[in-house]
Every structure is written in structure tokens, then in C-alpha cells.
Amino acid sequence: QGVRIPALGSFDAVPTRIRVGQESVTLWKPAFYLARNLAVNHNLLDHLPGNKELEPLKCSKVALEALVSRQKADGCIQGTVSLLSRCLGKGENVA
């Protein structure tokens, strides 16, 4: 199941087939798809997943795992998206 983070994009696993000897093996590789609004606003290539159903990020679950309040988790996620957008806008290294 993929996860969608509003205004940032989505994380998912995509199947990749490789040959190992005489056999073909499917590996699941992690993939990130930038949200359309960020891609358009910053003139980036837009590679969105096809018709795959994505689950919205559950901020309450993130907060529980991080041992912080739901508001703090939500604020951190929104702050990260905002920082990423500013860096992209200025052409800075987002790493």
C-alpha cells in the first residue's frame, strides 16, 4: 500500500523484474513521486503513479510512533514540505 503526503508526494513500492540465472525474480523497489503542485510550481518533470490507490499519511500514527502530539507531527510534516518547496524554488540542494 502506497502512502500519500498531501502537498509533497507519495511513497510506494514498485515491482522490478530481474533475471537471476535461469529464473526471473520480482524485487520491490521504493519509489517517491513528487506531488503535481510542487512539480508544476517548480517546473520539474511530473512522474505520477498510474491508477494506484494511495493511502493518505496517518499523522496520528506518525505522532504515536514519534511520541509527540498530533499537532506537532502535523506541523513538522507541513514545515518539511514548506522547506522543500522553498529550496526547490531557490534552486538549492534539497538533500
Side-chain angles (χ1 to χ4, degrees):
Q1 177 74 41
V3 175
R4 181 180 51 80
I5 302 172
L8 178 62
S10 61
F11 293 91
D12 201 1
V14 294
T16 304
R17 296 195 59 80
I18 62 167
R19 297 243 345 125
V20 178
Q22 298 294 326
E23 296 183 34
S24 185
V25 178
T26 300
L27 296 178
W28 290 86
K29 297 170 102 178
F32 173 73
Y33 303 97
L34 191 63
R36 184 180 306 273
N37 63 327
L38 276 179
V40 170
N41 288 342
H42 299 292
N43 297 317
L44 301 171
L45 292 177
D46 190 6
H47 299 286
L48 297 175
N51 297 327
K52 178 133 185 180
E53 185 77 21
L54 297 173
E55 179 178 329
L57 180 68
K58 292 180 173 71
C59 289
S60 56
K61 191 170 183 178
V62 171
L64 184 64
E65 292 290 325
L67 302 174
V68 297
S69 70
R70 160 78 193 254
Q71 293 79 14
K72 185 163 191 161
D74 195 42
C76 287
I77 292 166
Q78 288 178 7
T80 301
V81 171
S82 179
L83 177 61
L84 176 64
S85 183
R86 280 196 308 275
C87 289
L88 289 171
K90 293 178 181 179
E92 295 176 352
N93 183 343
V94 296

